[in-house]
Amino acid sequence: MSRPAVKRRRVSPPAFDDAWSVEQDYEKLPRKHKQEKTANRLPIKTVEGWIEQPEAEQVTGEASDSFLDSDVEDKPQEPLLERKSRLTTKAPPRQQILAAKEELARLASHINEDPEEHAGSLRKLARVTADNAPNNATVKKLELAARMAVFKDVIPGYRIRPLEDDDAQGKLSKEVRKQRIFEQALIGSYKEYVEELAKHAKGGRKPDNPGLVSVAIACACGLLEAVPHFNFRGEVLKILVGKLSSRRVDDDFNKCLDALETLFREDEDGYSSFEAVQMLTKMMRARDYAVHESVLNTFLQLRLLSEFHYKASHDGVERPSKGWRGRKKGTEKSGKMLKEKREFRTKRQRKDMREQKVLEKAMDEADAAVGHEERERLQAEMLKLVFATYFRILKARTPGLMGAVLEGLAKYAHLINQDFFGDILEALKDLINSAEARSGASNAEEDGADVRPCNVTRESLLCVITAFALLQGQDASAAALSLHLDLSFFIAHLYRNLLPISLNADIERSAKSLHLPDPDAADDRDSSRANSVNVQTTVVLLLRSLSSALLPRIALRAVPPVRLAAFTKQLATVALQLPEKSCVAVLDLLMRVIHTHGGSKNLGALWFTEERKGDGMFDATRAEYEGSNPFATTVWEGEILRRHYAPEVREAASLSRRYNDS
């Protein structure tokens, strides 16, 4: 008997127009009208014997359903996956995105379940956009983000070394071979992914899709923060450094800054930080230091601030040489063991020891374990690169970067070689003189639209802080004996600018604090960029400078009474002009000065008229504090401050008077 032809039902059109258009495209594909089957049916055993079964009737075009009938010529059918991908590319964008999400989720789940078994899915994951929506930017963004998440999950905690000829020819077990195949597939896919990120991150001046550029940069930042130890770290760093080379500050720029600062803070071995510092300094030098100052501020997050203890400069590091006390017992000056202390080893044992050392070194490199000496060497090289950058900018006086350089020098003052102190102090003096010249020129001009006196004030205060930090960062006893630095220029400059600084309306406003723009100022749109010296307020910089000048270290506390009296009188006058919080901070500084230097003995005459020591009149506007005759006046401002409207100010003024009486 012949089996009847298969009856096919007519498919009713779906309710949605998109699905209906997909089905119509499917119906227009060519089909075969005749199908040839080569396989025969098996015979059937009956009572009468074996009976051969006749072949089934072929379904021809005449016997087929009219709904599936077609007049197109016979052509070979396309593979199912190719036909599906071709149909998906013709789908609407929304359907392409949904299909891509499902495919990405399916492949990512397979890889996360068993990465070694589904290593080939990494290649498939990279072809999702090309197979489903080659012209859909949203699908490309989803693919980049999904691949980054997968790589962060499957990348091991070690660096994969390239295979050598001996490794490929040697005999391996099944598990090792499987692991090696997965590692090579991972490293190949990761290399392609990083190259793709670099291509999309460049974008150009007018990128076709700015959103794709932002996603590529965000993926590079995520990889650097999550897996900084893995291969192709230099290529990922190039993406971030290339973005930081632009002076345009946007969200992508800030993401790169945050990623580098996180890397500097959390880097344990030092290799990643050293490579990043190398690239940053090379980029700055190539661009003639025409970069944004926040790029320089990333150096302040390096771990060598708290871990490195030697003195350095831009060309060398001073390390104490180990004497006879630092050598092990039984060793000579050269470090070799004495002949009578050596242990006898055969040639075979020496060979085994050499092989064991090579193996241990390879294991340390694979485990990313860095010794203390290697970390110190990397930190010393980083410090030399940072100082070379600071000194070149200080010498060239690059506009816009002086505040960041001065802040960095103040932070790293305890690590600077003493031989460079004289040159640095001379450069700081020149900066202060140029700042005063600019301030004088702005006062002479009526408009003064191109000059920022607040920025000049902050840079001058940073110069004073840096000058004192150079001295205070050294060892006290060594500094007192070997250093003969004259800081009177900076003290006189600080005294001369106390009154003008107290009249500054933005004294409690930091460089990056938000405020409403002045509608009458035509050039106020660039105020945030012009004032971005550092994040500390002007009054904080002033207090740091005053603390350095009036409260030096223990071995260097020989402060003249004239300086103490002149600054005390000026600070009392300045406190009347300051806001409430700044006034309390200044009075607290005065209380510490009185308590440290003995108020009743050195400064008691300023609070009592009957004990006046000087003759003549006090000149508050004199540039030099030595000629201002401070002992000829009294601190009458204290009585006004004791009747201040703010209770915190009244309490601080009473405490300072009480310390002076005691």
Side-chain angles (χ1 to χ4, degrees), residues 352-372:
D352 293 342
M353 288 185 64
R354 287 194 296 267
E355 293 178 354
Q356 184 69 20
K357 288 181 179 179
V358 173
L359 181 60
E360 290 177 356
K361 183 179 180 181
M363 291 295 294
D364 290 341
E365 292 178 356
D367 295 339
V370 181
H372 182 68

Side-chain angles (χ1 to χ4, degrees), residues 586-596 652 655-656 659:
V586 169
L587 291 177
D588 181 70
L589 175 64
L590 273 178
M591 184 176 61
R592 289 190 286 121
V593 170
I594 295 170
H595 178 69
T596 302
L655 285 176
S656 61
Y659 266 102

Side-chain angles (χ1 to χ4, degrees), residues 644-656:
H644 200 272
Y645 68 91
E648 292 83 0
V649 177
R650 294 198 299 267
E651 183 179 359
S654 301
L655 285 176
S656 61

Side-chain angles (χ1 to χ4, degrees), residues 152-200:
K152 287 169 64 176
D153 291 338
V154 302
I155 283 178
Y158 55 88
R159 188 181 183 92
I160 299 176
R161 64 180 181 85
L163 291 179
E164 299 178 357
D165 297 337
D166 298 339
D167 299 332
Q169 296 176 0
K171 294 183 180 180
L172 303 173
S173 62
K174 184 178 179 180
E175 291 78 8
V176 174
R177 188 178 299 276
K178 184 179 180 181
Q179 178 72 17
R180 185 164 291 178
I181 292 174
F182 164 70
E183 289 179 352
Q184 297 307 312
L186 174 63
I187 201 68
S189 301
Y190 187 71
K191 180 181 179 182
E192 294 177 358
Y193 179 62
V194 172
E195 291 175 352
E196 191 173 356
L197 288 181
K199 182 183 69 175
H200 291 302

Side-chain angles (χ1 to χ4, degrees), residues 474-487:
Q474 307 300 315
D475 182 65
S477 58
L481 296 176
S482 60
L483 296 181
H484 301 282
L485 302 178
D486 185 14
L487 302 180

Side-chain angles (χ1 to χ4, degrees), residues 39-340:
N40 297 325
R41 296 189 176 217
L42 296 175
I44 301 175
K45 184 178 181 180
T46 61
V47 179
E48 300 176 356
W50 291 90
I51 300 176
E52 296 288 340
Q53 292 191 79
E55 296 183 359
E57 296 181 359
Q58 305 293 333
V59 179
T60 60
E62 293 79 12
S64 62
D65 195 5
S66 60
F67 181 72
L68 300 176
D69 194 8
S70 178
D71 297 333
V72 185
E73 297 181 357
D74 295 343
K75 294 183 180 179
Q77 288 188 345
E78 296 177 331
L80 182 60
L81 292 177
E82 295 182 3
R83 192 188 321 158
K84 182 180 178 182
S85 63
R86 193 165 63 83
L87 291 175
T88 310
T89 55
K90 295 182 179 180
R94 185 176 180 182
Q95 189 173 355
Q96 291 178 354
I97 295 173
L98 293 176
K101 285 182 178 179
E102 294 177 358
E103 185 68 13
L104 290 171
R106 184 181 66 83
L107 293 174
S109 61
H110 287 171
I111 297 172
N112 288 330
E113 287 176 2
D114 193 352
E116 297 180 359
E117 186 69 24
H118 301 89
S121 298
L122 293 172
R123 299 278 184 180
K124 297 179 182 178
L125 198 66
R127 295 196 301 266
V128 170
T129 303
D131 295 342
N132 293 276
N135 298 322
N136 196 327
T138 305
V139 176
K140 189 63 180 178
K141 296 177 187 177
L142 293 173
E143 178 198 315
L144 293 177
R147 292 169 71 185
M148 180 198 67
V150 169
F151 281 125
K152 287 169 64 176
D153 291 338
V154 302
I155 283 178
Y158 55 88
R159 188 181 183 92
I160 299 176
R161 64 180 181 85
L163 291 179
E164 299 178 357
D165 297 337
D166 298 339
D167 299 332
Q169 296 176 0
K171 294 183 180 180
L172 303 173
S173 62
K174 184 178 179 180
E175 291 78 8
V176 174
R177 188 178 299 276
K178 184 179 180 181
Q179 178 72 17
R180 185 164 291 178
I181 292 174
F182 164 70
E183 289 179 352
Q184 297 307 312
L186 174 63
I187 201 68
S189 301
Y190 187 71
K191 180 181 179 182
E192 294 177 358
Y193 179 62
V194 172
E195 291 175 352
E196 191 173 356
L197 288 181
K199 182 183 69 175
H200 291 302
K202 288 181 180 178
R205 294 186 177 180
K206 295 182 179 180
D208 299 334
N209 194 342
L212 188 59
V213 176
S214 300
V215 170
I217 293 176
C219 291
C221 295
L223 290 177
L224 186 64
E225 293 178 358
V227 287
H229 62 278
F230 199 59
N231 301 57
F232 307 108
R233 178 181 57 214
E235 284 72 11
V236 178
L237 283 172
K238 285 180 182 178
I239 299 174
L240 275 67
V241 174
K243 180 60 182 177
L244 294 178
S245 63
S246 174
R247 301 193 67 177
R248 180 184 177 186
V249 180
D250 51 7
D251 293 338
D252 298 336
F253 188 92
N254 294 327
K255 288 179 184 177
C256 296
L257 281 179
D258 295 339
L260 282 179
E261 290 178 354
T262 303
L263 175 67
F264 290 158
R265 286 194 302 266
E266 300 179 358
D267 187 16
E268 296 288 343
D269 52 11
Y271 286 114
S272 304
S273 299
F274 177 62
E275 193 171 354
V277 171
Q278 269 187 326
M279 289 188 179
L280 285 174
T281 53
K282 186 177 180 181
M283 179 268 294
M284 294 178 195
R285 193 169 184 180
R287 292 183 56 84
D288 199 15
Y289 302 100
V291 295
H292 196 264
E293 65 168 5
S294 56
V295 181
L296 278 176
N297 291 332
T298 57
F299 292 156
L300 302 179
Q301 305 297 329
L302 291 171
R303 299 186 63 161
L304 55 90
L305 267 175
S306 57
E307 296 180 358
F308 196 72
H309 304 289
Y310 299 117
K311 308 299 180 185
S313 63
H314 60 86
D315 56 356
V317 178
E318 291 183 357
R319 292 187 178 181
S321 58
K322 294 183 180 180
W324 64 273
R325 294 182 181 274
R327 296 193 302 270
K328 293 182 180 180
K329 186 177 181 181
T331 58
E332 297 177 349
K333 293 183 179 180
S334 59
K336 296 182 179 180
M337 189 171 292
L338 295 176
K339 188 174 182 179
E340 59 270 13

Side-chain angles (χ1 to χ4, degrees), residues 539-606:
V539 69
V540 171
L541 295 177
L542 177 62
L543 292 173
R544 288 178 59 187
S545 305
L546 291 170
S547 300
S548 301
L550 302 178
L551 299 172
R553 299 187 64 171
I554 297 176
L556 303 172
R557 277 189 177 175
V559 182
V562 179
R563 184 199 303 178
L564 292 174
F567 273 92
T568 301
K569 173 60 180 178
Q570 288 290 71
L571 288 177
T573 306
V574 164
L576 296 176
Q577 322 297 330
L578 295 177
E580 179 180 344
K581 294 181 179 179
S582 301
C583 182
V584 172
V586 169
L587 291 177
D588 181 70
L589 175 64
L590 273 178
M591 184 176 61
R592 289 190 286 121
V593 170
I594 295 170
H595 178 69
T596 302
H597 298 283
S600 60
K601 181 174 63 176
N602 296 327
L603 302 176
L606 296 179

